[in-house]
Amino acid sequence: MFKNLVFIACLFMLVLSCSQKNNSGTASSKDNGENKKNANDLINETSPYLLQHAYNPVDWKAWNNESLQLAKDQNKLIVISVGYSACHWCHVMEEESFENDSVAKIMNDNFISIKVDREERPDVDQIYMNAVQLMTGSGGWPLNCITLPDGRPVFGGTYFTKKQWTKILEDMSTLYKNDPDKVIAFAEQLTEGVKNSDLITINKENVEFNPLAIKTMVKQWRAYLDFQNGGQKKAPKFPMPSNLDFLLRYSYQYENKNVQDFVLTTLDKMANGGIYDQIGGGFSRYSVDDRWHVPHFEKMLYDNAQLVSLYANAYQLTKNESYKTVVIETLEFVERELTQEEGAFYSSLDADSKTKEGELEEGAFYVWTKEELQTELGDDFQMFKSYYNINPTGKWEKNHYILFKTKTNSEFLKNYNISEEDFNKKILDWKINLFKVRNKRNRPRTDDKVLTSWNALMLKSYINAYRVIGDKTYLDKAIKNAKFIKENQINEDGSLFHNYKNGKSTIEGFSEDYAHTISAYIELYQVTLDENWLNLANDLMEYSITHFVDKESGMFYFTPDTETNLITRKIEVIDNVIPSSNSVLAENLFKLSHYYSNNEYAAMSKQMLSNMNDQFKSSPSAYSNWLSLYLNYSNPYYEVAISGANALDKINEVNHYYLPNILIAGSVSESNLPIMESRFIEDDTYIYVCVNGACKLPVESTRAAVEQLLK
């Protein structure tokens, strides 16, 4: 039945969009003179993406109960159009279609049109993205889905030209008026497919998590890895921090140099490529080519947060100074461009910015002409040109260049009579000079909404940077953000808000908000030993269990039991660019079970991992964060409890080592936390290393404790 559904969906799509081949839409934004600037309902929203559409002639509504009821009352199909502020092709479709009076008239006469910010409403995006993927085999943004008045999907796709979109609207509205039963029958089949596409059943067998199984999975995964340029084979290339973090850990625990070389090659190539901002720090979302040269220039908070943590871990393992530089420069970028006064972090920077002529153009803020560089760098231009490939290798389009390194400093300097230390100073001078020049340009737009889950990822990255580099300002920023979330995003009943904008917290939190906030608070406890953060993490976990758990499978729904206006509740399990909420929650349960000696948590975590066991084998790269948890069960996993007046100093010493298979606990005084009970001695600081409930002799030396871990 499911294959038939996909076939029917594809056939339906083909019939409706037969005009797509060999058509090019016009870029005209208005048909009938100057468009009157009358605002639609989006003017009352706070999302920058929704506000960008507030003056479209389309009578856009926001996603809410009132808009959905209006469609039912008027018996109109719904257009659900999903995008986000930094999305280039979202802007293109807006200009071509949604700013066009004739297109707007068709939409306004025949549909209730709802604009959705996918970052504000990932729950809505999930459902209709799933529907489009079932219909077409792929997805992306902008996402455009046509549904029945009750929200059940009947047609969808991504970007359409004006001509394509006009025909789709006309065909769908005509079909619904003339033969509504056919449309309803199709919607019923497709909705059933959406509901069944990610059902997770409980695994009642006793799963043995063995170390050889992980080896087999990684061996299967290797066929898709690009060992020359890093990342997955082919283009486009996404950083996928969770994948790389797991493979780094695997390579260390299994002493697999080949896999470790792959990870480090990927980190080097990304840091040297155009995907990394060589002047201002920070990473773009992905590269459109297979060598990390040409980025899609939007900068997302979630990418930069996770990549800071990844490079910090790599620096901890290798002591490679270039990884430390990436961490520092990326955090400088976040502090400069994505941080607000209250200590919260904005969502993203747009891919597009205005040229000197005032036209929005992708990457305009970041790219250079040869003439600009010659003017600014003078005598240094020849060396700069060679280092950053101001040549056919680094050339992009319209005679612009994207700075792109293809050699290490030591390789590059073989042809120059200059020390590496002096060359590093020269690079810094270049960056300072060009940064000042670039700052005079029109800046990309900032999406200044604050999302709890993404903030938690950034909070965690500051903790990881502090743990590895030791800069106290990183810890201060982490604590400031942790307090922001606690004071603004946690409701009186213990629930979380998802969004914060203009001093107001809105939108009920999703499982991703709980997952990443709990994880970040656990990490913050590990570097501060302030048990208030750990207890708060535990409280949020209890709330999650009460309001998100599917009683049958033990997995967590993406939406709470209070959410009622969606056609289904999804269960997110695939580790994509951001790890899935379920994999992070399972990991949190595992850690909290150790801290609180909570057998219920331990059983839940193990059951969730068991439920996913068969999926790991078929596509390991889609479950990398789950596989990190798998390593905790299949290989030794240590509790490291440090008790005494010097516990924080000892923890800082432990953090000099890359030890991915440990859980840190500690206290500087008597503690009632189960993992710390009866371990405090007034005048001494002891380190306890335990595994599976068995503890080695306590030691006072950090080196001695690490030796116990490495035996």
Side-chain angles (χ1 to χ4, degrees):
M1 192 281 273
F2 194 75
K3 287 184 178 178
N4 289 338
L5 171 63
V6 176
F7 173 77
I8 293 169
C10 291
L11 182 62
F12 194 66
M13 177 110 176
L14 181 63
V15 170
L16 287 175
S17 57
C18 60
S19 65
Q20 287 191 16
K21 287 189 178 181
N22 302 318
N23 285 326
S24 58
T26 65
S28 172
S29 63
K30 304 172 183 66
D31 279 357
N32 302 312
E34 182 63 23
N35 186 27
K36 294 179 181 179
K37 292 297 184 180
N38 294 323
N40 55 48
D41 286 2
L42 299 185
I43 197 65
N44 300 313
E45 298 300 308
T46 60
S47 158
Y49 177 67
L50 298 186
L51 289 171
Q52 286 167 15
H53 293 77
Y55 290 97
N56 292 168
V58 177
D59 186 18
W60 290 117
K61 310 291 183 187
W63 177 273
N64 53 46
N65 290 330
E66 291 76 19
S67 301
L68 298 171
Q69 187 60 47
L70 184 64
K72 293 177 183 177
D73 293 343
Q74 297 185 9
N75 191 29
K76 283 186 174 181
L77 295 175
I78 304 173
V79 170
I80 298 173
S81 182
V82 186
Y84 57 103
S85 180
C87 169
H88 171 72
W89 286 103
C90 299
H91 302 324
V92 173
M93 190 164 178
E94 178 192 13
E95 181 181 352
E96 291 179 347
S97 295
F98 302 145
E99 290 182 354
N100 186 287
D101 287 343
S102 61
V103 175
K105 179 170 173 47
I106 299 172
M107 293 175 70
N108 295 342
D109 289 348
N110 299 284
F111 300 86
I112 298 299
S113 299
I114 297 178
K115 252 294 166 197
V116 177
D117 182 335
R118 79 164 177 106
E119 297 164 359
E120 268 195 348
R121 298 303 308 237
D123 55 334
V124 178
D125 178 59
Q126 275 187 1
I127 287 172
Y128 295 106
M129 179 66 76
N130 193 178
V132 167
Q133 288 171 334
L134 287 175
M135 283 187 275
T136 70
S138 62
W141 298 276
L143 179 74
N144 294 287
C145 199
I146 296 175
T147 80
L148 294 178
D150 61 9
R152 288 180 292 172
V154 294
F155 175 84
T158 54
Y159 166 78
F160 297 102
T161 66
K162 176 195 165 189
K163 189 170 184 178
Q164 292 164 358
W165 184 236
T166 300
K167 178 166 174 50
I168 288 164
L169 294 170
E170 291 171 341
D171 288 352
M172 281 303 309
S173 59
T174 299
L175 184 61
Y176 187 61
K177 288 171 185 173
N178 296 339
D179 197 352
D181 290 342
K182 181 182 290 186
V183 180
I184 292 169
F186 179 75
E188 288 173 350
Q189 286 191 336
L190 182 55
T191 300
E192 193 64 24
V194 171
K195 289 180 178 180
N196 293 334
S197 62
D198 60 358
L199 286 180
I200 304 296
T201 56
I202 189 165
N203 189 340
K204 296 181 180 179
E205 298 179 3
N206 181 30
V207 177
E208 292 292 331
F209 303 110
N210 76 73
L212 291 179
I214 285 274
K215 274 190 170 184
T216 301
M217 288 182 236
V218 172
K219 185 177 180 180
Q220 176 186 341
W221 190 347
R222 284 171 53 94
Y224 301 94
L225 302 179
D226 183 345
F227 281 82
Q228 180 177 348
N229 291 313
Q232 299 284 107
K233 288 181 178 177
K234 301 181 181 178
K237 281 188 185 287
F238 289 82
M240 305 301 290
S242 178
N243 286 8
L244 295 169
D245 200 54
F246 163 73
L247 291 172
L248 186 69
R249 176 179 174 181
Y250 170 86
S251 73
Y252 171 80
Q253 288 191 239
Y254 282 76
E255 298 181 342
N256 189 317
K257 186 177 184 305
N258 190 251
V259 171
Q260 187 171 122
D261 286 345
F262 161 77
V263 176
L264 300 183
T265 294
T266 304
L267 298 186
D268 291 340
K269 296 287 187 179
M270 287 196 303
N272 290 339
I275 192 174
Y276 183 69
D277 183 350
Q278 301 294 333
I279 300 301
F283 289 86
S284 294
R285 184 164 163 251
Y286 63 90
S287 72
V288 301
D289 60 290
D290 64 358
R291 57 193 182 119
W292 308 104
H293 174 218
V294 179
H296 188 42
F297 288 90
E298 62 201 36
K299 286 182 172 179
M300 313 301 294
L301 180 68
Y302 61 79
D303 283 319
N304 285 283
Q306 294 177 96
L307 288 167
V308 165
S309 293
L310 174 62
Y311 276 88
N313 290 340
Y315 173 66
Q316 190 181 40
L317 174 63
T318 65
K319 307 307 180 205
N320 184 330
E321 287 293 319
S322 67
Y323 299 154
K324 179 180 178 181
T325 298
V326 169
V327 171
I328 293 170
E329 289 183 346
T330 302
L331 290 178
E332 286 175 348
F333 153 71
V334 170
E335 171 69 14
R336 186 177 64 245
E337 301 191 43
L338 292 177
T339 305
Q340 53 126 283
E341 290 181 1
E342 296 170 272
F345 305 109
Y346 298 138
S347 295
S348 64
L349 294 183
D350 206 328
D352 300 347
S353 52
K354 287 186 177 180
T355 63
K356 291 178 180 178
E357 295 73 32
E359 296 292 325
L360 272 179
E361 192 172 283
E362 186 179 4
F365 183 72
Y366 300 101
V367 298
W368 302 88
T369 65
K370 186 181 293 186
E371 292 72 25
E372 286 176 314
L373 294 171
Q374 286 174 322
T375 299
E376 299 302 331
L377 297 171
D379 293 340
D380 273 356
F381 174 71
Q382 288 304 319
M383 181 179 281
F384 181 95
K385 172 186 173 183
S386 180
Y387 186 63
Y388 283 114
N389 285 292
I390 310 305
N391 54 38
T393 299
K395 194 171 186 178
W396 181 36
E397 57 184 31
K398 297 182 179 179
N399 290 318
H400 284 114
Y401 293 84
I402 298 169
L403 304 188
F404 180 50
K405 296 190 292 184
T406 51
K407 294 180 180 178
T408 65
N409 284 9
S410 57
E411 288 172 338
F412 177 78
L413 290 177
K414 288 178 181 177
N415 297 322
Y416 291 89
N417 185 26
I418 184 175
S419 70
E420 189 154 0
E421 182 180 356
D422 288 341
F423 184 58
N424 286 334
K425 291 177 182 177
K426 190 175 284 290
I427 293 172
L428 183 59
D429 288 341
W430 292 342
K431 289 183 178 183
I432 292 171
N433 183 11
L434 294 179
F435 182 81
K436 290 177 181 177
V437 173
R438 197 174 76 174
N439 260 13
K440 297 174 184 176
R441 298 174 178 174
N442 294 306
R443 303 184 59 74
R445 292 172 292 194
T446 303
D447 187 330
D448 60 351
K449 67 178 178 291
V450 171
L451 302 176
T452 300
S453 53
W454 296 9
N455 269 249
L457 289 170
M458 197 69 233
L459 161 57
K460 193 171 177 179
S461 77
Y462 268 107
I463 294 167
N464 286 326
Y466 166 71
R467 177 186 285 124
V468 173
I469 296 175
D471 187 334
K472 179 68 162 49
T473 61
Y474 295 157
L475 180 59
D476 294 340
K477 287 179 172 61
I479 292 172
K480 186 174 182 179
N481 183 256
K483 288 180 178 177
F484 170 86
I485 294 174
K486 177 184 176 184
E487 293 166 4
N488 295 279
Q489 300 303 87
I490 300 181
N491 214 336
E492 292 180 359
D493 64 356
S495 64
L496 278 169
F497 288 106
H498 175 65
N499 187 49
Y500 179 88
K501 185 79 163 43
N502 298 338
K504 186 179 179 181
S505 301
T506 59
I507 304 176
E508 219 171 338
F510 307 109
S511 59
E512 68 173 27
D513 298 302
Y514 292 85
H516 296 299
T517 302
I518 292 166
S519 178
Y521 282 168
I522 291 172
E523 296 282 339
L524 188 56
Y525 159 74
Q526 291 189 351
V527 294
T528 62
L529 304 187
D530 183 345
E531 291 179 14
N532 289 315
W533 297 119
L534 191 61
N535 291 330
L536 187 52
N538 195 54
D539 292 343
L540 290 171
M541 180 56 74
E542 289 290 342
Y543 187 93
S544 304
I545 292 170
T546 302
H547 293 282
F548 286 85
V549 167
D550 170 27
K551 299 297 191 293
E552 292 185 13
S553 67
M555 309 297 279
F556 289 77
Y557 286 115
F558 192 75
T559 52
D561 52 13
T562 52
E563 179 61 65
T564 58
N565 64 4
L566 297 168
I567 61 172
T568 188
R569 293 175 77 188
K570 303 289 285 180
I571 294 176
E572 180 192 48
V573 296
I574 294 176
D575 295 324
N576 208 304
V577 175
I578 300 176
S580 67
S581 50
N582 270 280
S583 71
V584 178
L585 285 164
E587 182 183 28
N588 292 338
L589 285 165
F590 174 84
K591 291 179 178 179
L592 291 171
S593 73
H594 283 263
Y595 285 122
Y596 291 97
S597 299
N598 189 320
N599 293 329
E600 180 189 351
Y601 283 5
M604 286 184 69
S605 177
K606 191 170 185 179
Q607 183 62 61
M608 291 172 74
L609 190 65
S610 298
N611 291 347
M612 300 301 299
N613 191 54
D614 288 342
Q615 269 117 309
F616 303 154
K617 299 170 185 175
S618 61
S619 182
S621 66
Y623 301 98
S624 53
N625 198 58
W626 287 105
L627 294 181
S628 287
L629 180 60
Y630 193 112
L631 284 173
N632 294 349
Y633 284 97
S634 60
N635 295 69
Y637 186 83
Y638 298 96
E639 297 174 353
V640 178
I642 307 176
S643 184
N646 296 323
L648 277 170
D649 292 335
K650 297 293 184 185
I651 285 173
N652 289 336
E653 291 173 7
V654 170
N655 286 334
H656 286 300
Y657 301 89
Y658 178 74
L659 301 166
N661 56 330
I662 68 170
L663 178 87
I664 289 179
S667 62
V668 294
S669 59
E670 194 68 54
S671 171
N672 293 322
L673 192 66
I675 197 173
M676 296 305 301
E677 281 182 356
S678 304
R679 284 179 165 167
F680 182 74
I681 299 174
E682 188 70 41
D683 298 321
D684 296 298
T685 298
Y686 282 103
I687 305 173
Y688 301 81
V689 174
C690 309
V691 60
N692 295 330
C695 296
K696 302 176 186 289
L697 289 173
V699 294
E700 295 182 82
S701 159
T702 301
R703 178 177 288 276
V706 171
E707 287 175 356
Q708 290 180 341
L709 292 167
L710 297 179
K711 282 183 179 178

